[in-house]
Amino acid sequence: MDNLIALLIAAPLLGAAVLLCGGRRLDAVGHWIGTVLAGASFVLGVVLFADMLGKAADHRTVTQYLYSWIPVGGFQADVAFRLDQLSMTFVLLITGVGSLIHLYSVGYMEHDERRRRFFGYLNLFLAAMLLLVLADNYLLLYVGWEGVGLASYLLIGFWQHKPSAATAAKKAFLVNRVGDMGLSIAIMLMFTTFGTFAFGPVFADAARTGEGKLTAIGLMLLLAACGKSAQVPLQSWLGDAMEGPTPVSALIHAATMVTAGVYLIVRSGAIFNAAPDAQLAVTVVGAVTLLFGAIVGCAKDDIKKALAGSTMSQIGYMVLAAGLGPIGYVFAIMHLVTHGFFKAGLFLGAGSVMHGMNDEVDMRKYGGLRKYMPVTFVTFGLGYLAIIGFPGLSGFFSKDKIIEAAFAKGGTEGWILGGAALLGAAITAYYMTRVMLMTFFGEERWRNQPTASPEEPSVEPAAEHHGEHAEPHPHESPKVMTIPMIVLAFGSVFAGGIFSIGDRFLHWLEPVTGHSEGNSPVSALTVTTATLVLLVVGVAVAYAQYGRRPVPVVAPRGSLLTRAARRDLLQDDFNHVVLVRGGEHLTRSLVYVDHTLVDGAVNGTAASVGGLSGRLRRLQNGYARSYAVSMFGGAAVLVALTLLMRAV
């Protein structure tokens, strides 16, 4: 069984190769080839999972060595895979949710002429993400890391004929390159510090290494995580990524790309445990981002962008938990898995709504859709209840554990982090209730309204098949789309409870991540009660604003905070002023220094030499009389000097 690990990656990688190189002859069946190979990887993952369960907890880590990749003296890099409880969790999530998204895409992309290529990119995405989580060393992980970046660029910009999609793809690619520089620097520091970048030796020697070096490595790993997981300050790409097809949003935001940063931090736990300053930076980034994303989600009228803000916030919870060290590692991954179910379900539900609404994304032009889309309404509703932490559903178990772990950090830091997590829970209940009410309840605002997009339109090419400006005729999506939504809804309801029975998920991951109870100043019952009270408050406020009042088709001007949130809390404005204009001023200053000082010094030296040589050249004119006069003058000077010296 241990020799089958590489096949997990090989199946979707084969699909990508076949679909991208096979040509138009595969157009009719390409989508099924991609879906079957993604499903085959999931089936193999289940087989390996069952085999792992048959082993003792401390013997479940297995390694498959393929070959030596870069054998150059002391620089040894192997292509080897590591399958343990942590990577197995990601394998099942990536392939399971990824396969459902593939199946959903069969119906969603039915009318797209380039559907075969789309499924090739989806397969490439799965293969890259699997390589990332199965790699046995940081250098091979980096290959998967870059592969995920490439695949996201291709998928976000899949409809590159739309300028907004092409721009969004470039933005995601460039912002992620900043984070990728952090990972590359961290790998270099590891090699100079440990002489290797293989997980085993690095983790074993981390506790015996100077804290300063580990802090530098940890901060660079955090920078990398901020890029991939859209955390402050590298979060600006996430909302624009909604320009890609909706299944891409589900794949990126639920099971693959944005979870990579959380995986990197948890996998590198031995480094962060020995670098408390870097660990503190992780918690600060997570706490700030969970509030940042929640506030942005409150002001978005585009249903996909509202969910994008939600993703940013929920990943913030995971990063916060990962920064708590052994207190929170398990709960970070637990929330990551449950989030994979309900967030994928929410995005697919949003796609189903768009499918029945001529690809309209403005929630102000929805309303009353529960009557026309009963399956979408129920599955989306269950995802909504799960994400706000409704008692008994998945989010209730996983997110509450993170809030408890934040308080368990102890001291002032614990109160601040726990308070931020509680506040985020209240805001989550508000903005998700807002989405639910504006979409499925109230009056049918879409009647007699031309379909036009909100702030920055994200209308997808499928609108061409429905009639872009025709009145929508809401209807339920086909079964090939609703079946994945139903399966994800089951995960949204039951996954968290199953994980919590007998603390089975904790015991599953503890051999890899370790676990500590911490020292919480408040009881779990108090935290749960406070969370539920804030949940009710958030729902009540949203209902008062959007359930009891008519929703205006044109968004009101709103407060200063609302206007800032609509502009993503001015993150792009900040980047433009600080980075773009700052870069322009820096470039102009460097050009001035180059022209004035550098070129001035060089050109001045050349001019001085040229002028001196020109004057010296006059002494060599070729006339004998001039030379005779010079010799006579020189002799006269020598005689005069000699007489003067004798007289003195």
Side-chain angles (χ1 to χ4, degrees):
M1 284 292 180
D2 299 347
N3 295 325
L4 299 179
I5 300 174
L7 295 181
L8 289 167
I9 304 170
L13 189 61
L14 174 64
V18 169
L19 294 176
L20 296 177
C21 301
R24 295 187 177 276
R25 66 179 67 89
L26 296 178
D27 282 355
V29 295
H31 49 288
W32 290 117
I33 293 175
T35 303
V36 168
L37 287 173
S41 186
F42 172 67
V43 171
L44 180 57
V46 172
V47 172
L48 291 172
F49 174 65
D51 180 66
M52 183 178 285
L53 289 177
K55 301 176 182 178
D58 54 350
H59 289 85
R60 287 174 174 169
T61 299
V62 294
T63 301
Q64 182 183 4
Y65 171 85
L66 292 187
Y67 58 89
S68 182
W69 177 20
I70 309 177
V72 182
F75 189 89
Q76 297 290 325
D78 297 331
V79 174
F81 304 117
R82 179 191 187 97
L83 188 64
D84 55 18
Q85 291 92 320
L86 179 60
S87 54
M88 175 57 76
T89 301
F90 275 84
V91 165
L92 294 176
L93 176 67
I94 294 165
T95 58
V97 175
S99 296
L100 291 173
I101 293 172
H102 274 70
L103 182 61
Y104 176 94
S105 301
V106 171
Y108 192 86
M109 301 294 290
E110 179 180 4
H111 300 293
D112 198 290
E113 297 178 352
R114 301 166 65 236
R115 181 165 62 165
R116 169 184 54 81
R117 183 176 295 274
F118 178 78
F119 276 82
Y121 292 159
L122 287 183
N123 273 198
L124 179 63
F125 209 137
L126 289 192
M129 190 66 191
L130 288 170
L131 176 61
L132 191 159
V133 300
L134 288 170
D136 188 46
N137 60 76
Y138 282 98
L139 193 61
L140 189 59
L141 180 150
Y142 186 77
V143 177
W145 192 271
E146 291 300 315
V148 169
L150 170 63
S152 67
Y153 169 78
L154 296 172
L155 286 168
I156 294 170
F158 184 73
W159 288 319
Q160 68 266 31
H161 60 275
K162 296 167 51 183
S164 56
T167 301
K170 288 186 288 186
K171 184 176 182 179
F173 190 82
L174 292 174
V175 173
N176 272 273
R177 297 292 71 73
V178 178
D180 294 353
M181 283 297 298
L183 182 56
S184 63
I185 293 172
I187 294 173
M188 296 175 198
L189 290 174
M190 286 178 196
F191 187 77
T192 58
T193 302
F194 304 106
T196 181
F197 28 71
F199 291 159
V202 169
F203 298 157
D205 293 341
R208 300 189 293 271
T209 305
E211 185 177 317
K213 293 182 178 179
L214 292 178
T215 299
I217 294 173
L219 291 176
M220 289 298 101
L221 292 175
L222 173 60
L223 179 62
C226 286
K228 278 290 182 288
S229 293
Q231 300 293 284
V232 171
L234 300 180
Q235 80 286 6
S236 62
W237 66 269
L238 195 66
D240 292 340
M242 297 302 98
E243 290 294 336
T246 300
V248 174
S249 303
L251 191 64
I252 289 177
H253 289 238
T256 54
M257 185 168 174
V258 294
T259 65
V262 181
Y263 169 80
L264 181 66
I265 295 172
V266 174
R267 174 62 79 187
S268 307
I271 295 174
F272 285 98
N273 292 340
D277 290 339
Q279 206 169 54
L280 175 61
V282 174
T283 59
V284 171
V285 167
V288 170
T289 307
L290 75 87
L291 294 175
F292 189 105
I295 293 171
V296 168
C298 291
K300 293 297 184 182
D301 296 327
D302 183 320
I303 187 171
K304 290 172 66 178
K305 290 190 176 183
L307 294 178
S310 170
T311 297
M312 191 188 305
S313 179
Q314 297 304 307
I315 299 294
Y317 272 102
M318 301 170 206
V319 172
L320 168 62
L324 298 173
I327 302 174
Y329 287 144
V330 172
F331 303 130
I333 302 302
M334 181 176 173
H335 191 53
L336 186 150
V337 175
T338 59
H339 176 265
F341 286 114
F342 54 70
K343 183 51 63 67
L346 288 169
F347 267 112
L348 297 189
S352 180
V353 170
M354 294 166 60
H355 181 79
M357 292 292 292
N358 290 5
D359 298 286
E360 177 62 70
V361 295
D362 189 349
M363 293 185 293
R364 294 186 178 276
K365 296 171 183 176
Y366 289 169
L369 295 181
R370 68 186 186 280
K371 296 183 297 184
Y372 305 94
M373 305 178 181
V375 176
T376 301
F377 168 64
V378 172
T379 56
F380 193 98
L382 292 173
Y384 151 73
L385 293 174
I387 195 172
I388 69 173
F390 189 84
L393 275 68
S394 291
F396 170 78
F397 294 100
S398 58
K399 189 159 64 177
D400 274 24
K401 287 294 185 181
I402 292 178
I403 299 174
E404 293 173 18
F407 280 108
K409 184 69 174 177
T412 305
E413 182 183 341
W415 282 104
I416 294 174
L417 296 176
L422 280 174
L423 179 59
I427 302 175
T428 300
Y430 170 80
Y431 70 72
M432 284 306 305
T433 302
R434 174 179 179 268
V435 170
M436 197 72 187
L437 292 174
M438 292 179 70
T439 302
F440 295 102
F441 293 89
E443 61 179 337
E444 298 172 353
R445 298 180 299 277
W446 41 270
R447 292 191 180 277
N448 302 318
Q449 289 289 337
T451 58
S453 300
E455 39 234 311
E456 288 188 10
S458 180
V459 177
E460 305 186 353
E464 299 172 5
H465 302 281
H466 297 298
E468 187 176 350
H469 298 289
E471 181 177 291
H473 296 282
H475 58 277
E476 190 57 87
S477 298
K479 289 185 178 180
V480 73
M481 294 172 64
T482 57
I483 289 175
M485 293 159 55
I486 293 171
V487 174
L488 291 169
F490 272 96
S492 301
V493 174
F494 298 111
I498 294 173
F499 293 160
S500 299
I501 296 175
D503 289 331
R504 61 178 59 183
F505 195 81
L506 189 155
H507 297 317
W508 165 256
L509 278 184
E510 189 174 8
V512 179
T513 63
H515 182 65
S516 172
E517 292 296 334
N519 185 22
S520 178
V522 294
S523 66
L525 179 60
T526 302
V527 172
T528 300
T529 302
T531 304
L532 292 178
V533 169
L534 290 172
L535 182 155
V536 172
V537 170
V539 171
V541 172
Y543 179 74
Q545 290 185 348
Y546 296 94
R548 302 184 62 182
R549 303 176 187 173
V551 177
V553 175
V554 179
R557 179 175 175 80
S559 65
L560 180 63
L561 178 61
T562 299
R563 296 198 301 272
R566 287 177 186 151
R567 295 172 61 88
D568 299 329
L569 291 180
L570 308 180
Q571 55 185 326
D572 283 332
D573 302 82
F574 175 83
N575 290 341
H576 185 75
V577 171
V578 175
L579 300 179
V580 177
R581 289 189 178 176
E584 289 175 352
H585 290 308
L586 177 61
T587 302
R588 289 169 184 165
S589 300
L590 293 175
V591 169
Y592 176 79
V593 170
D594 180 59
H595 287 173
T596 305
L597 299 181
V598 178
D599 287 354
V602 173
N603 295 336
T605 302
S608 300
V609 173
L612 179 62
S613 64
R615 287 170 174 80
L616 292 175
R617 187 171 63 247
R618 296 175 183 175
L619 301 177
Q620 301 293 327
N621 54 20
Y623 294 111
R625 60 180 177 272
S626 298
Y627 299 154
V629 171
S630 299
M631 293 171 63
F632 178 78
V637 170
L638 289 175
V639 170
L641 288 175
T642 302
L643 294 174
L644 180 62
M645 291 178 65
R646 286 183 176 182
V648 175

